Amino acid sequence: MEAKATLKYARISPRKVKIVLDLIRGKDAGAAMAILMNTRKSASEYLVKLLGSAIANATNDPGKQMDETKLYVSECFVCPGPTLKRIMPRAKGSADRILKRTSHITIVVKERD
């Protein structure tokens, strides 16, 4: 049995999120939450809420009812979402393109046997 939570269109680059996801992959849910709370990266803010949501999905869904102490992060990955293209004025009337990247983040938790 597994439970998952997904965050779509997060306004953060997938490259920045991947660094933090690598820290929690395979860890117990409580340990992963502690790691995220003490990581000074902007992505950890999104991931704390997302992991909390995945844990809540595992423990509160009527068909699943998993034990919160046995949960671990079995899968976590990030996919790039749509990129917002913006223009920044530069010297002599020219312009630079700014790419504001978005992410689709997924966390899956399972119960350890």
Side-chain angles (χ1 to χ4, degrees):
M1 296 242 285
E2 66 180 32
K4 79 155 85 164
T6 305
L7 172 64
K8 293 195 166 207
Y9 305 104
R11 260 295 291 124
I12 187 166
S13 168
R15 188 173 172 181
K16 293 176 182 177
V17 177
K18 187 181 180 312
I19 293 168
V20 184
L21 284 179
D22 290 342
L23 294 174
I24 64 167
R25 189 173 288 114
K27 301 270 193 315
D28 289 332
M33 189 64 86
I35 289 168
L36 291 175
M37 296 289 255
N38 293 303
T39 302
R40 290 180 42 200
K41 291 278 190 187
S42 57
S44 62
E45 209 173 305
Y46 292 101
L47 296 177
V48 164
K49 290 179 84 171
L50 192 60
L51 181 59
S53 178
I55 292 169
N57 290 343
T59 56
N60 294 328
D61 278 357
K64 295 181 181 166
Q65 296 292 325
M66 293 186 236
D67 184 15
E68 192 172 340
T69 58
K70 294 180 181 177
L71 292 177
Y72 74 101
V73 180
S74 63
E75 278 183 72
C76 55
F77 55 90
V78 60
C79 300
T83 302
L84 305 173
K85 286 143 183 111
R86 300 291 181 258
I87 301 296
M88 182 180 197
R90 302 304 296 197
K92 299 182 182 176
S94 64
D96 274 354
R97 177 164 283 181
I98 294 179
L99 302 176
K100 295 182 179 260
R101 301 184 189 277
T102 61
S103 303
H104 300 321
I105 310 166
T106 304
I107 294 181
V108 179
V109 293
K110 285 186 181 175
E111 200 170 29
R112 214 178 277 282
D113 295 332

